[in-house]
Each structure stands twice: as C-alpha cells, then as structure tokens.
Amino acid sequence: MSVLDTIRKYREAGYYKEFDYHWGMTVDLDRCTGCEACVVACQAENNLPIVGESSFAQRREIKWMRIERYWEGEYPNAKLNFIPMFCQQCDEAPCETACPVFATYHNQDGLNTQIYNRCIGTRTCAVYCPYEVRYFNWFTYTWDEPLERQLNPDVSVREKGVMEKCTFCIQRIRQAKDLAKDDDRRKVRDGEVTPACAQSCPTEALVFGDLNDPESRVSKMANDPRGYQVLEEQNTSPSVVYLQKVHGDEEAI
Amino acid sequence: MLSVHNRPPKIQAIAKQEFREGVRVNVSVLEALKPLRKSALLGIIGIVGIVVGLKINAAYSTHLKPVQPIEFSHRIHAGENQIECLYCHSSADRSPSAGVPSVAKCVGCHERIATVRDSAEIAKLNAYWQAQEPIPWIKVHDVPDFVHFTHKRHVLAGLECQQCHGPVETMDRIERVADLTMPWCTDCHTLNQTDNGLDCYTCHK
C-alpha cells in the first residue's frame, strides 16, 4: 500500500461528506539543499514578525517553516540530512481536539486551519502537536518604518496571545479559487496554486497540489516508493509526504 | 404586598411576636420600605446615567454618518441624475475593493457642469484639484482587518449594492445602514446556501 492510499484511508471517515480538494505537499529530501529560501519566502508572505535577540534566546522565534538538520555518522564520514518542517495539515490532527474555542478546525479542503481572532491563547494545541510547528505570539510585534509597508494585506497581522502556524498559503488558494470562479470552473487546475515556499524553492524540492486529483503532479510524486510520513506511528495522517534521501553507498563505488 | 418574611428583621421579629401573642398591630408600608431608600436612589441614578450616556454616545459616535470633507450627495448623483454605481466605484466588479473615484474623475465631469460650477462644495473640490491632493474621505463601511471581503464575488453573484449599503440613492450624506457583524454576513450566506459560505477561512484571513 502506497503512502497515498494510507492518506485516503483516513479520508473516508472525514469530517465532511465531500472534499473538493485535499491540499497536500511532497518534500523531496534528495533535492533539498537546506538553503532556507522557503523560510525567508514564508516570512515575507505571511507577515511573520522578527522577534528579536532576547526572544530568540528564549526559543520564542516564529517561523512557520524551518529546516531541521540531522547528522549521521562521525566526522570524516558524516552525512547531513535536511528536513523542512512545517504544519503537516494532519487529517487526524491532535491540535484540533485540544482547542477549547474551536479556533483550529479541519475545513472541507483538508486543511488544518487557525482562526486568529478566535484564538484565546491557551497554547494547548502547541503542546499537543507532535511536530512542534505551532508558534505563539508572546508580544505584539511591530515593524519599523518603512518595513510595515511590505506587509501582505491578504494575511492578518497577529497580535499578542495568538497561536499561529502554516496555512499552506490559504490566501493564494482563495485567490486561485476566485479566479477559477471567474472562468466558470468549479475546481482549481493543477499548478494554479503555489505556496510561497514551493514557489521560492530553487531545486523544486517542494511540490504542492491537490491529492484528491490522481493526475496532479503532487499525487504522482506522493506515489514514489521513497515516500514516507514524519512520525507516522502517531497516526496523525499528515497531508505532507517526504521522499527519502538516497545516500550513495561509498563502498560500492 | 409585603409578606411577613420580606420585612426587615426587626419588624419581622415584632410581627412574629405579635402574631404569637395574637395582637394585631398596623405596620406602615412606608416604614418598612425605609431601609430600601438608599438602593432605590442608586437605581434611579443608574438609570438616568444609562439614558444620558446613550444620548452622549449617539451624539459622539458619528462613524455611522460622519461629516465628510465635501458635502457630497449620493441623492443628487445616484438618485436624481441616475449615475450608475459602477461608473464611479468602477472596480467593484473586478476587485476586492469597490474603489473611491479619483479627484480627476470628479473634476472631469464638474468642469463641464455650468449650473453648479460656482457652488461652495465644488470650490472645495477645485482646491483639492489645484493642490493635486486626494480628498480625505472618511470610510463608513469598514470591516475589521482580520476579515477578507471581496466586492467582486458579491457583485458578480448578482447582489444589488443596496442590499448591503442601504438606499444610497436617497442619502444626502452617506450613512451605514447594515451593522457589518459576523451574524449579518453568515445569515445571508446561510440563506443563499453559499459554496463553503460558512467555512471560517472563507472570510477570515
């Protein structure tokens, strides 16, 4: 059974009768060079604040997307793995069960969403998240002149006491749906939505699309035999499929 | 009527004693109400305060019908002269924002209309035109920053402008009629069975 079938297994029991889309992403770790262009793009697109040195030291940085580094082996033969980590948009999301005010919920596009103006900041969801991808605003962060002019008007600026996380650039999804409606199309075509991270990736390690559509690029990528899901044993059923990195066997060479 | 138990303790005790002894004594109702006078006074002051406060609030909360820099009348433009809404608010059917016309658009018509050319309000318009400055209109229909609202989708769905903005063509000064609250939005979305209209992320961003 491929990874994609595992995902679809959980779809049947879903919250909604019909899912128009199931937005998902594949991350090809073989292509990832750890350049962090996605991290910067995400920060620019989603109005992420720069928390400052003292907050950073207290591990209060806000990065919806981060590159994790894993070293394998000892020095001369050390191998380095990069794993981009962002919200996995789990179908069986632990964070959704935790929210007392229903600020985070699963919508009909298979997205795990966060409504900022509803959030009361209990931080329970961040505790429940096995991927540690939810970030809390400890202060109301500000932008110095003239940096506030680069804020994205389609994304709200969060304030103190609000939890935030990757949304798969929902403002771009909304925009694409809007344009599809203008063309009298019910559904968005493959490739019309690209989140900021996938758009900026120089090696195209990140591929975004609709997993419900078997012809989409992301579905084909997800069927790759290298595919796996992070912390699969947690049964969170993430929408993100990672493609394993293949190390060359030096002895064989 | 005051029952035995509602009376102040002292009177209650006397009354109980009298009841036991079988003596019937008249206890004045006014006498019994005496300890309540303080709270009654506070209550009256409170009610008066609320009424006065509401009056003051109404006088100062001019955001529903603010005085604009130019006394622009929608009644004359949209009502009497039958100018289409989309002629001035030209991006309403192709953009999230309906758009406020530029000063050039106002002047473009008004320099050719002889009957009102010398009026005081047009003089103000000309002053902005000479200074090459935008008119600082005060926004009346404003939704919070966490709301994504697009005029395009609503106009293309066939909604009349008046459905949300009220009878603008009869207003001398623009006034907000709808309260623009979330239930107001979702009521309409429910009624019209909008596609994913009740999903939070349709409107919240």
Side-chain angles (χ1 to χ4, degrees):
Chain A
M1 196 158 69
S2 74
V3 179
L4 212 57
D5 292 332
T6 329
I7 293 175
R8 294 212 174 107
K9 187 177 73 187
Y10 288 104
R11 290 265 113 193
E12 286 163 19
Y15 302 74
Y16 296 88
K17 275 184 198 159
E18 195 184 332
F19 284 86
D20 275 354
Y21 307 95
H22 175 201
W23 300 114
M25 205 187 262
T26 56
V27 184
D28 193 340
L29 299 180
D30 223 0
R31 285 168 174 264
C32 179
T33 58
C35 69
E36 301 215 355
C38 48
V39 179
V40 177
C42 179
Q43 200 220 8
E45 171 76 19
N46 291 305
N47 300 342
L48 298 196
I50 295 181
V51 295
E53 203 178 328
S54 58
S55 282
F56 184 87
Q58 295 175 59
R59 306 179 72 185
R60 290 175 178 178
E61 60 173 327
I62 295 178
K63 272 182 185 175
W64 289 1
M65 178 118 190
R66 61 170 192 266
I67 306 280
E68 291 181 351
R69 293 183 298 175
Y70 293 95
W71 294 91
E72 250 179 57
E74 288 300 313
Y75 162 58
N77 298 319
K79 286 166 186 164
L80 177 56
N81 294 321
F82 296 112
I83 299 186
M85 185 49 72
F86 45 95
C87 178
Q88 307 286 307
Q89 314 284 352
C90 316
D91 261 8
E92 308 283 315
C95 56
E96 286 166 12
T97 62
C99 188
V101 292
F102 209 57
T104 179
Y105 72 102
H106 217 73
N107 82 348
Q108 75 286 329
D109 288 357
L111 287 177
N112 173 255
T113 54
Q114 177 78 20
I115 305 299
Y116 305 121
N117 57 315
R118 197 158 198 175
C119 177
I120 56 168
T122 63
R123 290 182 281 138
T124 327
C125 50
V127 178
Y128 279 32
C129 177
Y131 304 98
E132 307 265 331
V133 287
R134 286 178 160 269
Y135 300 90
F136 188 65
N137 284 275
W138 289 91
F139 302 100
T140 299
Y141 299 102
T142 51
W143 280 258
D144 297 335
E145 283 272 351
L147 289 175
E148 91 278 359
R149 295 185 193 177
Q150 71 169 15
L151 290 175
N152 188 349
D154 292 332
V155 182
S156 47
V157 175
R158 282 79 58 186
E159 57 178 23
K160 182 169 73 178
V162 170
M163 190 58 75
E164 59 183 64
K165 65 166 199 73
C166 165
T167 59
F168 268 173
C169 284
I170 192 139
Q171 67 278 9
R172 295 187 178 204
I173 296 173
R174 198 190 281 132
Q175 174 91 358
K177 282 184 185 172
D178 207 37
L179 295 174
K181 263 189 183 171
D182 285 350
D183 290 357
D184 283 333
R185 275 185 284 127
R186 167 112 179 87
K187 289 191 86 177
V188 173
R189 275 194 227 111
D190 188 35
E192 280 186 334
V193 192
T194 319
C197 52
Q199 188 186 11
S200 66
C201 186
T203 56
E204 293 191 20
L206 304 166
V207 174
F208 180 81
D210 183 11
L211 288 170
N212 267 359
D213 174 13
E215 292 306 307
S216 71
R217 193 165 156 230
V218 69
S219 298
K220 287 172 184 165
M221 291 285 277
N223 274 326
D224 196 291
R226 289 186 291 139
Y228 77 98
Q229 286 163 312
V230 179
L231 300 184
E232 211 166 337
E233 67 278 9
Q234 300 272 356
N235 277 334
T236 52
S237 179
S239 303
V240 181
V241 178
Y242 287 77
L243 307 185
Q244 220 160 19
K245 183 165 184 163
V246 183
H247 283 299
D249 193 350
E250 278 146 35
E251 285 175 19
I253 296 165
Chain B
M1 286 298 288
L2 277 171
S3 75
V4 175
H5 301 286
N6 282 353
R7 287 173 192 170
K10 210 171 176 182
I11 299 169
Q12 215 172 342
I14 295 167
K16 269 183 186 166
Q17 198 185 356
E18 283 161 358
F19 183 73
R20 272 200 300 275
E21 288 165 7
V23 186
R24 197 162 174 241
V25 183
N26 282 333
V27 179
S28 163
V29 176
L30 280 174
E31 197 82 359
L33 280 174
K34 244 179 189 174
L36 292 173
R37 270 194 306 192
K38 214 176 203 174
S39 47
L41 190 68
L42 280 174
I44 290 166
I45 289 172
I47 290 165
V48 170
I50 287 169
V51 171
V52 171
L54 281 174
K55 286 277 178 200
I56 292 171
N57 200 27
Y60 281 92
S61 66
T62 50
H63 61 282
L64 295 177
K65 197 177 180 180
V67 180
Q68 301 284 358
I70 295 177
E71 275 294 330
F72 174 84
S73 169
H74 275 93
R75 183 181 58 79
I76 294 171
H77 290 81
E80 287 175 13
N81 294 317
Q82 299 280 317
I83 302 171
E84 284 287 315
C85 305
L86 282 172
Y87 181 74
C88 294
H89 304 287
S90 54
S91 57
D93 62 342
R94 55 193 166 88
S95 156
S97 141
V100 173
S102 60
V103 183
K105 198 161 211 169
C106 304
V107 171
C109 284
H110 272 285
E111 65 181 4
R112 287 178 179 78
I113 302 171
T115 47
V116 290
R117 198 181 284 162
D118 302 324
S119 73
E121 299 301 319
I122 300 301
K124 283 187 204 169
L125 171 69
N126 287 332
Y128 285 114
W129 176 242
Q130 296 298 334
Q132 291 288 304
E133 273 176 10
I135 305 166
W137 297 114
I138 298 160
K139 199 167 183 182
V140 181
H141 295 86
D142 200 4
V143 287
D145 281 349
F146 49 77
V147 177
H148 165 84
F149 174 81
T150 160
H151 270 94
K152 180 171 107 175
R153 280 272 74 82
H154 291 85
V155 172
L156 293 183
L159 259 76
E160 289 292 322
C161 303
Q162 283 84 350
Q163 212 159 333
C164 301
H165 292 282
V168 175
E169 70 279 0
T170 62
M171 294 177 191
D172 267 326
R173 190 192 296 162
I174 195 74
E175 184 183 355
R176 204 180 81 192
V177 178
D179 57 358
L180 304 184
T181 54
M182 193 174 120
W184 177 77
C185 297
T186 49
D187 277 356
C188 196
H189 279 190
T190 316
L191 202 68
N192 294 315
Q193 298 186 338
T194 317
D195 213 14
N196 298 336
L198 295 178
D199 180 31
C200 309
Y201 252 119
T202 303
C203 307
H204 287 287
K205 61 183 187 185

